Amino acid sequence: MGSLARYVGVRLLLVIPMVLILLSLVFLLMRVAPGDPVSSALGGRLSAEELAERRAAAGFDAPVWKQYFEYLGQVVQLDFGRTITDNRAVSEIVVDNGGATLTLTLGAVLVALLVGLPLGLWSGRRRDKLDDVGIRVFGIVTFAAPVFFVGLLFQLFFGKNLGWFPTSGQASPRIQASIPEKTHILLIDALLAGDMSAFRDALHHLVLPAVTLGLLVVGVLIRLVRVNIIQTLQSDYVEAARARGISEGRVVRKHAFRNALVPVITVMGLQMASLLGGAVLTEQTFNWPGIGNELVGYLNDRDYTAVQGIITMFALIVVGVSLLIDIINALVDPRIRY
């Protein structure tokens, strides 16, 4: 426990410079590069006097270094600012739309695990066989294919042609309007309301977006699990288990597969940034009412304050998930602590 406490303490200390670097990059790219955010967002719609008043009210007339420290102070208080175009708090956008993005991301993780783990296991056991080659090609294609292109193909084939799944929205408009928002997560709100038809409708709408986003990391999981299964099956303790007469299936399940799962935890944490980035395109493709969809709207409106706040929140989520994954790895594998 002492080694674990030291490891967690060091990781917490390392989070501070990591967050500071990320916040600095976000500030410089989103505040300095575009120029004056108020003029970019509202130029041509307000007079020069009104623009000057809005700049002063938002603090954009202050020196850049002062804006930077005010920005850091706001983030420490979990205040991500207010949008320029519609004067909404970014934290309000996160609360209202975060549930949809969380649902989509967790659904994608579930798809990635259900598809990637079994295929990687099978591919590792069938090394250099025809089915192994086919699975590896499938993994390369899913990893390389643009997520929006895959989403459009799914919409055309499974939605328009076959009519199996809806291609737009988080739920049917009538059903979504009838469910009271308590947690801002439609599936949970439907269960709390006791409306199973709404729950099934929301699940039905989730299938195509979750599969589209989940396939983004399936290729990574297949390759990772395959390599670790092959290495583990060649290890001494697996050979010893075979020599004791343990069946091949039990050797793979109880010994090889468990050890192959250790790096999967790390990779899924690292893929969180890819999932959040892919969620932006997936939400646009399927008109999913998440944070990514809002982000694209504010980008089109050149509302750089809103974009800065949302990207800052994404960066903090990635850092938090990375820290959590490191702690879980230290609990699972004691060698990491030393």
Side-chain angles (χ1 to χ4, degrees):
M1 293 302 296
S3 62
L4 178 61
R6 286 195 302 272
Y7 176 80
V8 173
V10 171
R11 289 295 295 119
L12 287 173
L13 289 176
L14 290 175
V15 163
I16 297 174
M18 186 188 307
V19 170
L20 187 61
I21 291 172
L22 284 172
L23 295 182
S24 301
L25 287 174
V26 170
F27 176 86
L28 291 174
L29 292 175
M30 302 309 304
R31 185 73 66 91
V32 177
D36 174 31
V38 174
S39 299
S40 299
L42 301 176
R45 286 184 278 175
L46 297 178
S47 64
E49 293 77 11
E50 290 173 322
L51 287 175
E53 291 177 2
R54 294 292 293 270
R55 280 195 296 269
F60 294 136
D61 58 341
V64 174
W65 64 267
K66 186 176 181 180
Q67 296 181 40
Y68 173 70
F69 285 108
E70 288 178 352
Y71 164 67
L72 293 182
Q74 289 177 339
V75 173
V76 169
Q77 301 174 40
L78 298 181
D79 179 6
F80 300 108
R82 304 188 71 87
T83 65
I84 297 175
T85 50
D86 51 10
N87 198 32
R88 292 177 64 193
V90 175
S91 56
E92 178 186 330
I93 298 172
V94 173
V95 171
D96 291 343
N97 302 92
T101 298
L102 178 63
T103 302
L104 176 59
T105 304
L106 292 180
V109 170
L110 181 62
V111 170
L113 293 176
L114 290 177
V115 177
L117 293 183
L119 288 182
L121 174 61
W122 184 262
S123 181
R125 292 187 63 183
R126 302 279 297 174
R127 182 182 183 182
D128 295 333
K129 300 293 194 298
L130 183 61
D131 43 358
D132 173 37
V133 175
I135 290 173
R136 280 188 287 167
V137 170
F138 171 74
I140 293 172
V141 170
T142 57
F143 179 74
V147 64
F148 67 89
F149 179 70
V150 175
L152 290 174
L153 289 180
F154 282 174
Q155 282 182 324
L156 289 174
F157 186 72
F158 294 106
K160 302 296 184 182
N161 293 342
L162 298 179
W164 288 357
F165 301 103
T167 59
S168 178
Q170 192 179 8
S172 301
R174 179 184 58 81
I175 290 180
Q176 188 165 358
S178 65
I179 300 298
E181 289 188 351
K182 296 181 179 179
T183 65
H184 295 279
I185 301 176
L186 185 59
L187 290 172
I188 296 179
D189 289 341
L191 289 177
L192 292 177
D195 193 338
M196 293 308 298
S197 63
F199 180 79
R200 289 191 295 269
D201 182 76
L203 277 180
H204 201 209
H205 280 74
L206 177 63
V207 171
L208 286 186
V211 171
T212 299
L213 184 57
L215 288 178
L216 183 67
V217 296
V218 162
V220 177
L221 285 183
I222 290 175
R223 183 175 180 82
L224 181 68
V225 173
R226 177 184 181 274
V227 169
N228 281 278
I229 285 291
I230 292 174
Q231 292 178 347
T232 308
L233 288 177
Q234 295 173 346
S235 60
D236 293 337
Y237 69 88
V238 170
E239 293 296 334
R242 287 168 173 160
R244 292 197 301 269
I246 300 176
S247 65
E248 185 68 16
R250 184 176 176 83
V251 167
V252 172
R253 289 193 307 272
K254 297 296 184 180
H255 298 280
F257 190 53
R258 284 187 177 182
N259 284 283
L261 287 180
V262 174
V264 170
I265 300 173
T266 303
V267 169
M268 287 308 298
L270 295 175
Q271 289 298 314
M272 180 56 65
S274 298
L275 287 174
L276 289 175
V280 175
L281 297 174
T282 306
E283 289 176 5
Q284 275 292 106
T285 303
F286 289 94
N287 195 26
W288 191 264
I291 301 175
N293 209 3
E294 292 289 317
L295 176 61
V296 173
Y298 285 118
L299 276 170
N300 291 332
D301 292 337
R302 302 178 65 84
D303 192 331
Y304 294 109
T305 303
V307 174
Q308 174 184 275
I310 294 174
I311 292 179
T312 299
M313 186 270 303
F314 277 172
L316 293 178
I317 290 175
V318 172
V319 171
V321 170
S322 176
L323 176 63
L324 179 62
I325 292 299
D326 285 342
I327 295 174
I328 293 175
N329 277 335
L331 290 171
V332 173
D333 189 353
R335 295 172 298 177
I336 298 176
R337 309 173 196 172
Y338 299 97

